[in-house]
């Protein structure tokens, strides 16, 4: 094993052996090179005032070489802010301002110890880093039965982990904290579990209430006190899109510093929050009362980044940074939030009108981009194909009964027609 990896592991063992035990085989072996092209280039950038012949970019006229055909479309930006490689952990200014944003939007983080966000190539990459660092073959990954299908690819197919599901809703149509607790405590023999908390939930658009959030935290704490090391990941892809009385901040704030056996990891990003899906800018942030643990985890994370994508795209990081610094940024974002909230409320008004109750129910939703119908007497796939083939309407079939509808991409004035069309397709299928 590389000496740097050994040193990072020794730090984790001495500072918090539980976190060391959470690491996968790759997590134990990975490190970020201190002697190599990146480190030598960084040193040269600070000291090589005459000529810097280190990193593999081309320069001309004292700035990064570039094509006019590209620069003329990006003339608002200095070449130095878009063409060179970004640092492996991301632009320092962006990391700083995102951390400040986290604190502002999550009051429960006040006084907690957590690291500087590390830039990822959007949220999927952040989850992939978690899988690489902490998931080995046979490890338990606990998720609700209504979940984003990419978890299976990321944790099970790539890393061989065992996906363990519990029903998202209980019999009262509330978050099933008892189900989460049961699956967690069942990992006592393994002594380790990875828990993914995705709120607002994809596909249902559900965020727990404050009471339900407290129950979730209590279940995780109980598992830790029972001797189970818990890696708990808040997948906050749709953070901020809270339309009703629910938690209006991430559970990461309550989970940070919860227990020595709990490692809280926040995966979030500008992707959905700032409506820049194609920019691929996400963040991964660790919580620990030990600065040395935070440094070690950051180094291992940078090692994973170096070994996979080297670094994230520089232009999109610059775009996001400038947007966050804009004086009217919050005003602009609030305007888009209001549009989304009106769409969600319109959907709920339509579904509560009594017009469709004979063919479907709907799962509780209060946030995010989506909602899910529970079809009564037909299969979701049959309705999906009928909608597509006969009406030119796209939806997502999930399992036998569930049909996901993304109201986020439908104008408010078209929502009634959309659900009338879905209703007609259900009738068509049931009469076929």
């Amino acid at each position: 094993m590389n000496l740097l990896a050994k040193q990072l592991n020794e730090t984790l063992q001495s500072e918090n052996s539980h976190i060391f035990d959470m690491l996968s085989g790759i997590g134990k072996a990975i490190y970020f090179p201190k002697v190599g092209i990146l480190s030598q280039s960084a040193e040269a950038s600070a000291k090589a005032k005459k000529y810097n012949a280190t990193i593999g970019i081309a320069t001309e006229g004292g700035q990064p070489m570039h094509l006019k055909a590209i620069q003329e479309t990006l003339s608002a930006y200095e070449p130095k802010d878009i063409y060179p490689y970004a640092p492996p952990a991301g632009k320092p200014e962006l990391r700083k301002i995102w951390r400040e944003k986290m604190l502002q939007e999550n009051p429960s983080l006040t006084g907690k110890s957590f690291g500087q966000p590390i830039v990822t190539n959007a949220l999927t990459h952040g989850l992939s880093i978690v899988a690489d660092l902490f998931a080995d073959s046979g490890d338990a990954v606990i998720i609700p039965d209504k979940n984003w299908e990419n978890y299976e690819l990321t944790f099970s197919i790539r890393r061989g982990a065992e996906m363990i599901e519990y029903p998202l809703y209980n019999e009262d149509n509330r978050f099933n904290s008892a189900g989460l607790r049961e699956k967690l405590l069942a990992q006592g023999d393994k002594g380790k579990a990875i828990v993914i908390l995705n709120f607002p939930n994809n596909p249902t658009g559900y965020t727990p209430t404050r009471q339900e959030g407290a129950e979730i935290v209590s279940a995780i704490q109980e598992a830790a006190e029972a001797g189970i090391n818990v890696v708990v990941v808040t997948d906050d892809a749709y953070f901020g899109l809270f339309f009703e009385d629910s938690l209006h901040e991430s559970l990461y704030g309550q989970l940070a510093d919860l227990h020595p056996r709990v490692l809280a990891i926040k995966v979030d990003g500008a992707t959905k929050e700032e409506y820049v899906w194609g920019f691929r800018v996400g963040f991964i942030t660790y919580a620990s009362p030990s600065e040395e643990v935070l440094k070690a985890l950051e180094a291992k994370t940078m090692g994973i980044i170096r070994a996979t994508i080297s670094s994230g795209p520089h232009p999109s990081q610059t775009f996001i940074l400038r947007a966050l610094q804009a004086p009217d940024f919050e005003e602009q974002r609030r305007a888009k939030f209001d549009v989304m909230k009106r769409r969600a409320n319109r959907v709920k008004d339509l579904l509560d009108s009594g017009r469709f109750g004979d063919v479907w129910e709907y799962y509780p939703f209060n946030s995010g981009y989506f909602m899910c119908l529970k079809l009564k007497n037909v299969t979701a796939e049959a309705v999906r194909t009928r909608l597509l083939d006969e009406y030119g309407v796209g939806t997502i079939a999930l399992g036998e009964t569930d049909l996901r509808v993304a109201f986020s991409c439908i104008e408010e004035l078209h929502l009634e027609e959309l659900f009338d069309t879905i209703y007609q397709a259900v009738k068509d299928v049931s009469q076929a």
Side-chain angles (χ1 to χ4, degrees), residues 70-376:
I70 296 176
Q71 181 60 28
E72 65 186 6
T73 67
L74 299 168
S75 58
Y77 297 92
E78 293 292 330
K80 67 180 178 63
D81 289 324
I82 50 179
Y83 295 111
Y85 297 115
K91 288 176 74 79
E93 308 97 313
L94 178 60
R95 298 175 65 195
K96 179 177 181 292
I97 200 170
W98 195 264
R99 192 180 193 277
E100 292 169 352
K101 176 177 176 289
M102 285 171 56
L103 277 166
Q104 180 180 0
E105 296 176 341
N106 297 275
S108 58
L109 273 175
T110 303
K112 300 294 182 71
S113 176
F114 63 101
Q116 199 82 334
I118 301 167
V119 177
T120 62
N121 192 33
L123 283 89
T124 302
H125 181 220
L127 293 166
S128 176
I129 290 171
V130 173
D132 283 347
L133 287 179
F134 299 102
D136 267 330
S137 179
D139 283 348
V141 178
I142 301 175
I143 55 176
D145 60 349
K146 302 189 186 309
N147 58 69
W148 186 40
E149 63 185 13
N150 217 6
Y151 295 146
E152 173 82 16
L153 299 178
T154 303
F155 288 90
S156 180
I157 302 302
R158 285 188 63 249
R159 299 293 302 140
E162 179 185 3
M163 309 304 291
I164 297 176
E165 296 184 355
Y166 60 93
L168 175 64
Y169 299 102
N170 62 20
E171 60 276 5
D172 297 322
N173 269 335
R174 297 176 63 248
F175 180 82
N176 185 18
S177 55
L180 169 62
R181 176 182 176 275
E182 177 187 352
K183 297 299 184 183
L184 251 177
L185 293 177
Q187 308 313 312
D189 290 344
K190 291 183 177 180
K192 174 184 173 182
I194 299 170
V195 176
I196 301 176
L197 301 174
N198 171 219
F199 306 124
N201 173 266
N202 176 5
T204 68
Y206 187 74
T207 295
T209 64
R210 290 170 178 80
Q211 175 59 37
E212 292 164 358
E215 293 170 2
I216 293 170
V217 174
S218 177
I220 291 169
Q221 183 168 4
E222 185 176 350
E225 291 172 349
I228 300 170
N229 294 330
V230 185
V231 180
V232 56
V233 185
T234 60
D235 176 354
D236 295 331
Y238 302 91
F239 180 80
L241 294 165
F242 307 118
F243 307 134
E244 296 180 21
D245 184 20
S246 69
L247 284 168
H248 280 209
E249 59 177 293
S250 172
L251 281 174
Y252 179 75
Q254 297 183 50
L255 294 164
D257 300 349
L258 179 67
H259 190 280
R261 288 187 182 272
V262 175
L263 174 62
I265 306 173
K266 191 177 197 296
V267 177
D268 58 14
T271 310
K272 278 96 174 177
E273 287 189 44
E274 272 65 78
Y275 312 101
V276 288
W277 309 274
F279 282 20
R280 314 310 294 152
V281 175
F283 300 88
I284 182 170
T285 311
Y286 300 99
S288 171
S290 167
E291 284 294 324
E292 295 305 311
V293 166
L294 294 174
K295 290 176 183 177
L297 292 175
E298 178 171 330
K300 286 182 175 290
T301 299
M302 289 170 62
I304 294 288
I305 292 172
R306 178 62 172 155
T308 51
I309 65 169
S310 189
S311 64
H314 196 165
S316 52
Q317 292 185 48
T318 295
F319 302 157
I320 296 301
L321 176 61
R322 178 173 290 194
L324 292 170
Q325 293 171 330
D328 58 347
F329 171 75
E330 285 300 332
E331 179 183 349
Q332 291 186 31
R333 189 169 71 156
R334 183 70 197 189
K336 301 305 180 188
F337 170 88
D338 289 342
V339 170
M340 296 285 281
K341 182 176 181 177
R342 286 196 300 271
R343 292 178 185 177
N345 289 340
R346 179 59 177 149
V347 170
K348 192 157 286 190
D349 288 343
L350 288 167
L351 294 175
D352 289 340
S353 67
R355 292 160 54 185
F356 312 116
D358 58 326
V359 300
W360 66 53
E361 300 171 354
Y362 70 89
Y363 294 104
F365 69 98
N366 52 20
S367 51
Y369 278 31
F370 314 108
M371 59 78 54
C372 269
L373 301 173
K374 183 179 182 180
L375 306 180
K376 291 184 176 180

